[in-house]
Amino acid sequence: RDGGPDHPFEPIENVDLTGGELGLEHSAELDSSPSQPGPSTPPRRLRRIPPHPYKVQRHAANIRERKRMLSINSAFDELRCHVPTFPYEKRLSKIDTLRLAIAYIALLSEILLSGHDPKSYVEQLHKCFVVWLHNA
């Protein structure tokens, strides 16, 4: 703890913790020397107090979480580009995007398993759906 290259911060001894909002402290000892450095008094150096390890860990965790959320949001934006929606609809929420993607994948699987022409199969489903809505 000599403040060398392995340890960039000097040990905190006799530190006035009210010495500034930026965590800067005087490295000279606290004495009754004049506040203005004179010709024989060297100017006081300021040193930075190291942040608490918890704050450093919390800051790193916040950065990781922010990157994770940006990645998730980017993936949802890409998924929204691949699910069919009407142009006038507002942007789908994450849960609505997932539900629509599940339904769309199920429809595509059903079309493939039917062995019919996809366009005629969808038209047939649409007619059945319209009849069902009319009777409901």
Side-chain angles (χ1 to χ4, degrees):
R1 303 190 124 222
D2 61 349
D6 294 333
H7 225 290
F9 300 106
E10 298 175 10
I12 300 174
E13 298 171 357
N14 298 326
V15 174
D16 177 15
L17 295 177
T18 62
E21 296 176 9
L22 298 176
L24 300 175
E25 299 299 333
H26 295 289
S27 62
E29 289 189 23
L30 299 174
D31 57 12
S32 59
S33 61
S35 61
Q36 296 293 329
S40 63
T41 310
R44 292 183 175 190
R45 290 185 353 217
L46 296 177
R47 66 177 171 183
R48 190 172 287 281
I49 295 176
H52 193 276
Y54 174 77
K55 287 186 178 181
V56 173
Q57 289 175 345
R58 189 72 250 144
H59 182 68
N62 288 345
I63 290 172
R64 284 192 307 272
E65 176 66 9
R66 196 172 302 117
K67 284 182 180 179
R68 186 185 74 83
M69 289 305 300
L70 286 172
S71 173
I72 289 172
N73 290 337
S74 173
F76 270 104
D77 287 338
E78 179 133 353
L79 182 58
R80 284 183 190 104
C81 293
H82 294 286
V83 293
T85 56
F86 294 108
Y88 57 84
E89 283 188 61
K90 63 182 171 97
R91 186 173 151 237
L92 294 172
S93 68
K94 291 177 184 176
I95 190 66
D96 288 338
T97 302
L98 288 175
R99 288 179 177 146
L100 184 57
I102 290 167
Y104 187 53
I105 291 168
L107 173 67
L108 294 175
S109 296
E110 197 175 310
I111 291 171
L112 288 174
L113 292 174
S114 74
H116 294 98
D117 173 52
K119 186 176 180 181
S120 62
Y121 188 79
V122 170
E123 288 171 354
Q124 180 187 356
L125 284 177
H126 181 68
K127 287 177 188 175
C128 291
F129 183 70
V130 170
V131 169
W132 179 80
L133 278 178
H134 189 270
N135 292 335

